[in-house]
Amino acid sequence: MKKPATIRDVAREAGVSVAVVSRVLNEGTGPVAPTTRAKVLEVIEDLGYRPRAAARELQQRTTSTIGLVVADLANPFFARLADRVVWEARARGVHVVVLTTQEDPHLEAESIATLIERSVASVIATPAGDNVDKWARLIDLGINVVFVDREIDQLEQIDVVTIRNDVSAEVATAHLIGLGHTRIGFISGPAATSTGRDRVAGFRRAMAAAGLSVDDELVHHIPFRGDNGSDSVGALLSMPEPPTALIVGNTAQVRSALRRIKQSEIHVPEDLSLVVFDDNPWTELVSPPLTVVRQPIEMLAVHSVDLAVGRAKGLLPEHRRRIEVDAEFVRRSSSAPARQSTPTT
Amino acid sequence: MKKPATIRDVAREAGVSVAVVSRVLNEGTGPVAPTTRAKVLEVIEDLGYRPRAAARELQQRTTSTIGLVVADLANPFFARLADRVVWEARARGVHVVVLTTQEDPHLEAESIATLIERSVASVIATPAGDNVDKWARLIDLGINVVFVDREIDQLEQIDVVTIRNDVSAEVATAHLIGLGHTRIGFISGPAATSTGRDRVAGFRRAMAAAGLSVDDELVHHIPFRGDNGSDSVGALLSMPEPPTALIVGNTAQVRSALRRIKQSEIHVPEDLSLVVFDDNPWTELVSPPLTVVRQPIEMLAVHSVDLAVGRAKGLLPEHRRRIEVDAEFVRRSSSAPARQSTPTT
DNA sequence: TCCCTAAGTGGTAACGGTTACACTTTTGTA
DNA sequence: TACAAAAGTGTAACCGTTACCACTTAGGGA
């Protein structure tokens, strides 16, 4: 349990000043004679010296750390996002502090405070929806914020990386309409979230384009957490005239919804065609394999980290960036032609 | 983009010295008059002051940050572990820097170096198996290390939190034996990892206890990464005398193995009984729902964080702790009696 | 009344880096 | 050969906290 060597130890041992050692450490900050450099590096190796991040940060008033704020790592979508973010960040030499909010605005506010204390350079977040002022304060302090997957309308100055939620939902809906379905249910995220709204918007647009009216009873906005997916499915299936197709656009509720369907007498896709948002490793392992909207998570992560790190280094144009990537529609076996569909005109 | 307030700003504004502000911040470090405290708190609120973590860390030579080193957040096991670790850590007021190694010793070594630079208080890790000296160096520097899920034999001084791998495998095996199976395959992790070894040990013990011999061809040690699960299943199923039951003890390869089984003509459980390690949210959604060994991930996380934080605060006994928790055997429908099993003597 | 103790407060040296600036030595060029 | 520019190095002042110590005041007991 020996205490670690400091830059002064290295300087003394190498017979130079701390300034020289610092210059060796941070290449490009000043000239160092080749022989001196070699000597210093040797001593560094000998002593097992590692510069202390805290000291550097204190002086530079910024960190090589970024914050990642997501709801919940137990959700595969966030987990895979986090995985890629950590990975991409490492490739750029920065570390990631992960904070989870459980979709709770209060915990989110706490996370923001923490990130300020840590004076992180940037934050990548999937905002819960509230805390407008808190997020604003963050950028007010010069901390770059990138929203990924979701966004907050009032914060127009913040970078956003997201999939084209409306188009994705539109494509999924059109697919079902093409199969002859006219009564289509849609389970979405909270109306307070951009994803929750945009997906429903796309859904309605596709329905309208096909000249179909939307029964508002078939559109459910439910929270990300809890077991509401099951309840929604239950409600939809027990309607006098239940839908023949269902889109689950609430990533976090797919499992819950699926469980309820399995428990019921309903057969997929004979009785009910199913399309769900987000492709998981297991969507093709269940029976039947699910037709999904696959979000290109790697792209979301890469762009987020690019923005977060790029802004931190100040090598991005001032104006706010809005990056939208396309989701991929993957047809599997959970969607099929509507039974005894009304003849196509 | 105003620069954040410092402790001196607060002191000036409140008409006191920085020492007093510091004492208000760190309750218990010295007396402060109630009225003074109130005044200081008010100014802190007004200015939106937050102490800078870097400055504090520099002074105290330690952090309220712990490192979490896992292979891969895309793996649900690690993702859920990370989720709970982050959660439990927050409850204790510490943050988590997450680093992923992709099971690559080189990346792991790099992660260790990073954690030294950050002078984290503790590290929770699922070691890949190499880097014995690197881990040793970490504890040499006074950084507490807790291994979770896996361990490294040569590092006996390090705290370990794990499930009883041997017993779990034994129970799973006994379950299949009880169903009349005698040719049982076992796909495990690398022999270089403790989990990979211990589970096979438990398997052999159960077989021996039942007076059954083990065909070594049926025991596969495969890496955590890649698609070897599929290959292993392929090899096992194409044997002249294939096993009638299979235990997949390699958490990361369950999906790959399952996919291969789905692609084949084999029916579960009629042709092949299946037990897999680790209960995922989707194990009960596939057909048939899988019989699993459920690892109590929350327990692993809670104990890990307890150790990591406890050691950091120096309120744990010196000697090394080894915490083993029981896994739960969950019988579902993927395991069934052996067809035309040899009459029970 | 005097002292002693405790409460309350302030001054300031660390902590371990980075960096502006001054200084000396080379090197290049007219 | 002279002189300017560039290369190489060292000194010391920060960065924002904490913690040690010294100091002042108030209160209580003899």
Side-chain angles (χ1 to χ4, degrees), chain A residues 11 18 84 91 94 98 169 183 191 207 241 256 273 279 286 324:
Chain A
V18 294
R84 298 299 303 200
V94 318
V98 177
R183 270 188 81 70
M207 292 294 274
E241 193 187 349
S256 173
S273 279
D279 193 19
V286 300
E324 293 192 324

Side-chain angles (χ1 to χ4, degrees), chain A residues 99-134:
Chain A
L99 299 167
T100 57
T101 67
Q102 320 290 332
E103 304 284 3
D104 175 350
H106 186 257
L107 286 179
E108 185 177 89
E110 216 178 80
S111 300
I112 295 173
T114 295
L115 291 168
I116 292 176
E117 287 184 25
R118 298 220 61 85
S119 31
V120 294
S122 307
V123 176
I124 297 175
T126 54
D130 280 337
N131 291 320
V132 176
D133 51 333
K134 302 285 195 323

Side-chain angles (χ1 to χ4, degrees), chain B residues 43 60 71 119 205 218 264 277 340:
Chain B
V43 173
Q60 317 216 304
S119 32
R205 203 190 305 155
L218 294 180
S264 71
F277 264 65
Q340 36 172 306

